[in-house]
Amino acid sequence: MTWKIVSDSGCDFQKIKDLAVATNFERVPLTIQVGNEIFTDDAKLDIDEMMEKMYATSTASKSACPSPDDYLKSFADADNIFVVTITGTLSGSNNSAQLAKKLYQEEHPNVNIHVIDSLSAGGEIDLIVHKLNHLIGQGLSFEEVVKAITDYQEKTKLLFVLSKVDNLVKNGRLSKLLGTVVGLLNIRMVGEASSQGTLELLQKARGHKKSLTAAFEELLKAGYAGGEIIIAHRNNTKFCQQFSELVKEKYPKASITIIPTSGLCSFYAEEGGLLMGYEIG
C-alpha cells in the first residue's frame, strides 16, 4: 500500500523529514495577486520580493485557492491519500479538494481519500501534517489513521500574534483607524482560530514584551500542558526564541519547532507575525 499526504500552502513545510515508508508528501500551492503580478506559493517563490511589492502597493492583495485539477494531479500514484487544507472560512481550497476527491474516486474507486479542513492555518496545519506522517509510520490502516487524526485535531489549536495589519485594513477586515493605532502605538494583536475556523482577537498587547506575556497566558488558558508546538513566523526569530524559553521554563520537555512561514502564511501574518500550532491536554 502506498500513501500520500497532500496539503495546500497553508502548510509551511516544503518537505517532511523522515517520511513514513511508502509515503510521499506533496504541497499544492495557492497563488497571491499583488497588483497585476501573480505569485505562486511553491518552493521557488521569493517571499521577500512578494512582501516588498505587497507593501509598496496601495491596492488590496488577494489569494486564490488551487483548482480541483491541481488537486487531481497531486493524487496520482497512491492507494491512501490524506489532504489537509487551510480553513474553509478564508479560502475555497477545501471545496476544491472535496470536488477533486469525488472526481478522482469516480475513476479510481479503490483509492481511499480523506480531506481535512484544518479550520486553521500555519502552525496548526503543520502539526496535523506531522501527526499524519507519524500515524502512517505506525502501520495503521487507512480507517485507523482517519479516526486517530480526527481525534488529534480536537486536541490542537492555533495562536497568532500580528504586529502589522496592512492587509487586513486594505481588504476591509479592519478599520483604517485601528490599523493606524496598531502601527503608531506598537500594538500586537494576539488571537486564535476558533472551532469554526474563524480568526478571533483575544488581546491587544502594547510592545514586544507584553505580547510575549499575553501569548503565553493565552496558551496556558487554552489548556496547553507541555505538548508539541510548531511556530511558523515571518522574520521574528527573537519572539520565537524568547517564547520558547518561557515554555521550557514551565515545561522543560516540551517539543518546540520553529520554521519560517510559507508565502500564504506570510501574506496573512505579515512582517513580524507568527502562527503557532500547539497541542492541548
Side-chain angles (χ1 to χ4, degrees):
M1 298 289 282
T2 55
W3 300 74
K4 184 171 276 191
I5 301 169
V6 176
S7 75
D8 61 25
S9 54
C11 174
D12 302 286
F13 293 131
Q14 293 287 352
K15 57 184 179 180
I16 300 175
K17 293 180 180 178
D18 303 318
L19 266 172
V21 175
T23 303
N24 286 312
F25 172 65
E26 187 161 340
R27 200 162 162 271
V28 180
L30 280 85
T31 57
I32 298 158
Q33 181 175 352
V34 179
N36 295 320
E37 194 168 355
I38 304 293
F39 294 90
T40 301
D41 190 13
D42 57 18
K44 299 176 182 177
L45 175 63
D46 186 331
I47 299 175
D48 291 339
E49 179 191 5
M50 181 192 78
M51 297 296 288
E52 186 179 331
K53 290 185 176 181
M54 186 178 77
Y55 286 125
T57 180
S58 59
T59 58
S61 300
K62 301 178 290 185
S63 62
C65 67
S67 69
D69 189 54
D70 292 330
Y71 277 111
L72 282 170
K73 291 173 183 174
S74 75
F75 293 166
D77 304 321
D79 302 305
N80 298 309
I81 302 167
F82 284 87
V83 186
V84 189
T85 73
I86 191 171
T87 174
T89 65
L90 289 178
S91 171
S93 183
N94 189 266
N95 288 337
S96 287
Q98 294 284 7
L99 180 54
K101 170 186 172 179
K102 181 180 177 182
L103 294 172
Y104 195 80
Q105 288 185 318
E106 287 175 359
E107 297 292 327
H108 307 85
N110 295 323
V111 173
N112 299 309
I113 304 175
H114 182 62
V115 179
I116 300 168
D117 184 342
S118 71
L119 301 173
S120 193
E124 190 171 4
I125 295 182
D126 304 335
L127 276 179
I128 293 169
V129 167
H130 185 254
K131 185 68 172 182
L132 278 170
N133 184 54
H134 175 71
L135 292 169
I136 293 167
Q138 290 183 321
L140 302 179
S141 68
F142 178 81
E143 291 75 17
E144 288 171 330
V145 176
V146 170
K147 183 182 186 308
I149 200 64
T150 301
D151 291 344
Y152 180 73
Q153 197 174 354
E154 293 294 319
K155 299 174 182 177
T156 63
K157 289 182 72 69
L158 179 82
L159 186 72
F160 63 83
V161 181
L162 307 180
S163 57
K164 287 181 71 69
V165 291
D166 294 39
N167 263 341
L168 294 175
V169 172
K170 287 178 184 177
N171 284 283
R173 295 185 181 182
L174 199 67
S175 72
K176 289 183 179 179
L177 176 60
L178 184 54
T180 301
V181 169
V182 167
L184 290 177
L185 298 183
N186 198 21
I187 299 292
R188 308 290 200 275
M189 313 286 272
V190 181
E192 67 177 1
S194 72
S195 58
Q196 292 77 41
T198 56
L199 300 182
E200 305 291 341
L201 180 63
L202 297 171
Q203 293 192 41
K204 298 172 189 172
R206 187 171 184 180
H208 171 81
K209 189 173 180 179
K210 287 184 178 178
S211 69
L212 267 173
T213 302
F216 190 55
E217 283 176 0
E218 294 298 340
L219 192 82
L220 298 179
K221 195 186 300 182
Y224 178 76
E228 184 175 2
I229 298 176
I230 298 180
I231 309 175
H233 71 101
R234 172 64 189 168
N235 290 334
N236 202 343
T237 303
K238 179 181 177 182
F239 184 103
C240 296
Q241 290 175 341
Q242 292 178 344
F243 189 85
S244 297
E245 289 168 6
L246 275 177
V247 173
K248 292 279 192 178
E249 283 177 16
K250 189 172 180 65
Y251 300 103
K253 295 183 179 180
S255 171
I256 304 173
T257 304
I258 299 170
I259 56 176
T261 44
S262 65
L264 182 72
C265 290
S266 298
F267 171 78
Y268 281 119
E270 299 195 52
E271 289 299 326
L274 56 98
L275 300 165
M276 181 192 315
Y278 63 98
E279 298 174 347
I280 57 174

